[in-house]
Amino acid sequence: MVRMCLRGNGLVCRLAGSLWAPECPAPPHRLCWRRLCSLARLCSHFDPLGLSSTAPKRTAATSSAGPSSGQQTLLHTPVMVKEVLESLDLQPGQVVVDMTFGAGGHTKAILRAVHDVTVVALDRDPLAYRLAQQLAEEHPGRVYPLLGRFSELSSLLTGLGFGPGSVSAALVDAGCSSMQMDSAQRGFALSKDGPLDMRMDGERFPRMPSAADVLNALDQQALASLLRAYGEERHAGKIASAIAQARHIYPIQRTQQLASIVAGAMPPCALYARRDRLQRPSHVATKTFQALRVFVNDELNELHAALQAAQLHLRPSGGRLCVLTFHSLEDRLVKRFLRGEDLAAPPRMSSRQRARRALRARQEEEQDEDEDEEEDDEDGGVGSAGWVSLRRKVLTPSREELEENPRGRSAKLRAAIRR
């Protein structure tokens, strides 16, 4: 298990790792689940396994996209398609792995742009897998849909006959998809009221803890550490305290219930202070939702597994890797991996970065600066892992694309070639 050395995540990494469940063919990180269950037994008012009468009832509707899912899929807009195609530089007859199929935007663009290319479409979401199966029927012999996590990719590729060094290019689109965000029943979006689920695997593993399970089982100190580590939330202590108080009255089960609790924990001046990268008002619970989603789905360890799988299966001396990330934790991990750094070691910081971090620590009110802007975005050089970056600077969406697709405002694209 990779222990991600992120700021303030000591306790969470000891608790977290991967949320293992008996049915999961996922990484054997069982310690987290045992500790979560131990913590749950201390909270007599809540049962993370859904056995008590007060536990939130999870049905098949939780993981479905609802009756309008087809329409939402059609409205899905992939991010930085032109830049992705240029970075992949695919040729006819090559094999490319789309590790996050989602609604299929990037895969469809690849099929249109390159004749006779073969796409292996992976996704852990059963809904996305069904969409990939439909696309495979439209393009016989060109699309191979796979249902699974990044950590399962190597065995799945081997089962299809794609061994080490047999793939020409790989695309990783980290984070959650628009389909998941647009479905209230999935529990990812704080703007839509729904059950606090956030499991990207849907109902594949019913005993896997949901976001509601985590909120109602972890103690206050663990919650604060989780919010600092995976959400980079400066008010983590206040929010964790408010959550602990609220769940003593009634278990936290709904998205807008959690959003209201977080808003109530903030001072009035902080409610309207946060802005996104387009300078639009951002809800104060955004980072809390991000932290829960990353923790529940073990996203950082899964992303690292995706990078390792790409390194194994991409052909040497020319295999191309493109990674789209949407927040600083993901981007920082990818950058360090491509540089060949030890991910178990603390990240390197320049004196300028240390000075900025000290300055922010003294500020009383949050200015919501992106960690991305504090770090050096240059990719130049070759790490010991054997990657050559395609560009010296990380790519971000153009102004024109952001006007059409504001959801891509935080996207960053890094691309590299195997040596």
Side-chain angles (χ1 to χ4, degrees), residues 96-101 104 106-107 110 119-123 170-171 173:
V96 59
V97 180
D98 185 350
M99 297 192 193
T100 320
F101 180 80
H106 288 109
T107 292
I110 290 171
V119 181
V120 179
L122 173 79
D123 207 290
L171 169 64
D173 189 352

Side-chain angles (χ1 to χ4, degrees), residues 70-136:
Q71 182 180 3
Q72 292 167 351
T73 301
L74 294 175
L75 295 177
H76 170 71
T77 304
V79 179
M80 301 176 69
V81 174
K82 179 182 177 181
E83 293 83 352
V84 166
L85 293 176
E86 291 177 352
S87 300
L88 293 175
D89 190 27
L90 294 169
Q91 305 299 322
Q94 290 186 337
V95 178
V96 59
V97 180
D98 185 350
M99 297 192 193
T100 320
F101 180 80
H106 288 109
T107 292
K108 293 174 184 177
I110 290 171
L111 293 172
R112 289 192 301 266
V114 187
H115 175 69
D116 199 29
V117 70
T118 299
V119 181
V120 179
L122 173 79
D123 207 290
R124 64 191 293 180
D125 191 331
L127 174 59
Y129 175 65
R130 291 194 292 271
L131 294 176
Q133 288 178 314
Q134 295 175 9
L135 189 63

Side-chain angles (χ1 to χ4, degrees), residues 2-286:
V2 177
R3 292 186 178 273
M4 312 309 300
C5 288
L6 303 173
R7 176 163 52 93
N9 70 336
L11 176 60
V12 176
C13 277
R14 292 196 296 273
L15 272 168
S18 177
L19 294 180
W20 178 86
E23 299 96 326
C24 295
H29 305 154
R30 308 186 179 189
L31 183 58
C32 170
W33 176 253
R34 293 172 180 170
R35 291 185 178 179
L36 179 59
C37 289
S38 297
L39 286 168
R41 285 193 292 270
L42 298 178
C43 304
S44 58
H45 60 282
F46 193 79
D47 176 10
L49 301 182
L51 301 178
S52 69
S53 59
T54 59
K57 300 299 187 295
R58 296 200 295 268
T59 64
T62 304
S63 62
S64 66
S68 60
S69 60
Q71 182 180 3
Q72 292 167 351
T73 301
L74 294 175
L75 295 177
H76 170 71
T77 304
V79 179
M80 301 176 69
V81 174
K82 179 182 177 181
E83 293 83 352
V84 166
L85 293 176
E86 291 177 352
S87 300
L88 293 175
D89 190 27
L90 294 169
Q91 305 299 322
Q94 290 186 337
V95 178
V96 59
V97 180
D98 185 350
M99 297 192 193
T100 320
F101 180 80
H106 288 109
T107 292
K108 293 174 184 177
I110 290 171
L111 293 172
R112 289 192 301 266
V114 187
H115 175 69
D116 199 29
V117 70
T118 299
V119 181
V120 179
L122 173 79
D123 207 290
R124 64 191 293 180
D125 191 331
L127 174 59
Y129 175 65
R130 291 194 292 271
L131 294 176
Q133 288 178 314
Q134 295 175 9
L135 189 63
E137 295 175 357
E138 299 173 9
H139 300 272
R142 298 187 65 193
V143 179
Y144 293 87
L146 293 176
L147 177 63
R149 304 177 180 181
F150 294 148
S151 53
E152 303 171 89
L153 178 59
S154 290
S155 60
L156 292 172
L157 284 176
T158 303
L160 284 178
F162 299 111
S166 62
V167 175
S168 301
L171 169 64
V172 182
D173 189 352
C176 60
S177 68
S178 295
M179 294 188 306
Q180 294 166 338
M181 293 295 296
D182 289 338
S183 174
Q185 294 299 314
R186 301 298 297 271
F188 289 95
L190 59 86
S191 60
K192 298 176 172 62
D193 187 43
L196 266 173
D197 194 329
M198 296 193 188
R199 295 172 300 168
M200 291 181 177
D201 299 279
E203 289 292 332
R204 287 181 65 205
F205 311 117
R207 292 173 65 88
M208 177 180 174
S210 67
D213 299 334
V214 173
L215 278 177
N216 291 281
L218 295 184
D219 61 33
Q220 181 175 331
Q221 182 182 2
L223 280 174
S225 296
L226 186 155
L227 297 178
R228 291 191 191 98
Y230 298 135
E232 298 179 306
E233 173 58 70
R234 299 181 185 180
H235 300 286
K238 293 180 181 179
I239 295 173
S241 176
I243 291 173
Q245 294 178 27
R247 69 188 182 189
H248 280 302
I249 301 173
Y250 196 81
I252 304 172
Q253 303 177 9
R254 311 287 295 183
T255 53
Q256 292 196 348
Q257 181 186 5
L258 174 60
S260 298
I261 293 171
V262 175
M266 296 292 189
C269 58
L271 292 178
Y272 308 99
R274 292 188 175 179
R275 302 271 174 174
D276 62 21
R277 297 189 70 178
L278 298 180
Q279 295 305 308
R280 302 180 307 180
S282 178
H283 197 284
V284 291
T286 300

